[in-house]
Amino acid sequence: MGVGARFGFIWLATLRDLEWRWRRFVMAVLAISLVFSITMLLSGFGESFRVEAHRLTSLVGADGYVVQTGSTGPFTSPRPFRDDAVAAIADAPGVRSATPLIALLQPDIYLIARPGPDGRVVADGTFRGDLGEPITIGLKDLTVTELVSGRTVFGGVPIVEVSVADAQTAVFTGQTFITAVAVMGTPTTVPAGYEYVSSAEAERDFLRPVGVIRTSIRILSGMLWIVAAAIVGTLVYVSTLERLRDLAVYKATGAATGDLLAALVFQAVLIALVAAVVAIGLAYASAPVFPRPVYFPAGLLLTLPSVGLVVGLIASAAGLRRAVRVDPALAMGSPG
């Protein structure tokens, strides 16, 4: 038998092994898919913080923010000041326009206030209420006039947008306080007691409080990749033990060790790749019922099959080591 025919025979035998033990492989694929889909959901949840930060700054639509000195950003560490500072900031060199802004975390909601008609209340659809229902903000009861989607912060806290005047009445008992000034343009200097924070810096500052959560998600994801590799590795190793006599026959008839190893690697990689594809479907099906926002970036969808390939290669190591040590003489042993 030529080299090509022998190699094709070994690969065919591997596919036949998958067919013969299909129940075991289906169970393994489902288990690995579950692990992969959980990893995707965790990664998607971690991605939601970055998406929320970008959407928040896009909602305000400013090039940057002027905050009171000592505040790290307009959204995480507000330090209220009088709104008469807006005029001085608007006159700063490099500033094209300046708008008062209030951004405060309130019980169950995140309050954003900008100039606009009084009485208008725009809430994200995750807010616990319906259109026309009252909402209590600070000391004032307002009525939700519009529901939107995709406006959350900190992993699902709904944004509620009102006018600056309504927010000042509700939160600051009518005093003319604001927490930041949203500016268009880049000021070269700002009045004493204030500092400029760019939009990019504001996004990074927004992610700072959830940095520990995002790191924890990355660690858990790494642990789940290891679990997936262990499942594939165990399956391939058990399969190798059950096929020792077959492998010995192949060796006794002149099969190259490299051909045998390639067949085992193919088996492991095939299982991992099929599991990765199934996991993408499971993750998308589970995302709507996940208790927090989940966003799957295109990079993650491309990465998962690649990770599945790497997992398959790593997981096949145990089976490869055992296959290399197979003695061709085992082919002549008794079935017992």
Side-chain angles (χ1 to χ4, degrees):
M1 184 183 295
V3 175
R6 185 173 62 244
F7 185 71
F9 174 75
I10 293 172
W11 280 66
L12 179 60
T14 301
L15 291 175
R16 291 291 295 174
D17 181 64
L18 290 172
E19 181 182 356
W20 182 257
R21 299 178 175 87
W22 67 269
R23 291 182 179 84
R24 176 188 301 170
F25 291 113
V26 168
M27 292 177 62
V29 166
L30 291 177
I32 299 165
S33 299
L34 183 61
V35 173
F36 280 169
S37 63
I38 293 174
T39 304
M40 278 193 65
L41 288 170
L42 283 175
S43 300
F45 176 53
E47 176 70 9
S48 70
F49 294 109
R50 187 194 64 79
V51 173
E52 287 176 333
H54 181 70
R55 286 182 174 178
L56 178 58
T57 54
S58 298
L59 172 65
V60 177
D63 291 332
Y65 308 87
V66 175
V67 297
Q68 196 172 42
T69 301
S71 175
T72 59
F75 304 117
T76 59
S77 55
R79 301 187 67 178
F81 54 90
R82 295 286 182 182
D83 62 6
D84 54 11
V86 175
I89 294 170
D91 291 335
V95 174
R96 298 194 301 273
S97 65
T99 306
L101 175 71
I102 297 175
L104 291 171
L105 182 63
Q106 298 285 290
D108 300 324
I109 66 167
Y110 189 85
L111 180 66
I112 290 288
R114 297 183 293 169
D118 295 345
R120 179 173 180 265
V121 180
V122 182
D124 183 78
T126 58
F127 166 71
R128 296 179 181 178
D130 295 323
L131 194 65
E133 288 193 6
I135 176 175
T136 301
I137 300 176
L139 302 176
K140 189 172 183 177
D141 290 332
L142 298 170
T143 300
V144 177
T145 60
E146 184 179 348
L147 290 175
V148 294
S149 62
R151 293 187 183 180
T152 59
V153 295
F154 300 127
V157 178
I159 293 176
V160 174
E161 186 177 359
V162 302
S163 69
V164 170
D166 281 340
Q168 289 174 336
T169 301
V171 179
F172 297 124
T173 62
Q175 299 185 72
T176 58
F177 283 121
I178 57 176
T179 61
V181 177
V183 300
M184 298 300 293
T186 304
T188 54
T189 61
V190 294
Y194 300 92
E195 56 188 64
Y196 174 75
V197 178
S198 69
S199 182
E201 291 171 333
E203 283 193 29
R204 288 193 294 270
D205 180 65
F206 180 86
L207 292 173
R208 178 178 48 81
V210 295
V212 174
I213 297 176
R214 300 179 77 203
T215 300
S216 300
I217 289 173
R218 285 193 290 267
I219 293 174
L220 287 174
S221 297
M223 295 173 66
L224 287 172
W225 293 131
I226 295 174
V227 171
I231 295 173
V232 179
T234 300
L235 179 65
V236 173
Y237 184 72
V238 171
S239 177
T240 303
L241 293 179
E242 293 179 347
R243 298 175 62 201
L244 286 180
R245 186 176 300 280
D246 294 340
L247 297 175
V249 170
Y250 296 149
K251 278 192 172 183
T253 55
T257 300
D259 292 347
L260 300 179
L261 300 183
L264 292 175
V265 170
F266 169 72
Q267 187 180 85
V269 169
L270 181 62
I271 294 171
L273 288 178
V274 172
V277 173
V278 175
I280 293 175
L282 287 175
Y284 269 96
S286 303
V289 297
F290 200 75
R292 293 296 181 184
V294 175
Y295 299 96
F296 298 125
L300 179 61
L301 301 181
L302 296 175
T303 299
L304 187 60
S306 302
V307 172
L309 175 63
V310 174
V311 166
L313 292 173
I314 295 175
S316 62
L320 297 179
R321 187 167 178 269
R322 189 68 182 88
V324 168
R325 294 163 53 189
V326 171
D327 187 349
L330 181 63
M332 305 304 176
S334 61

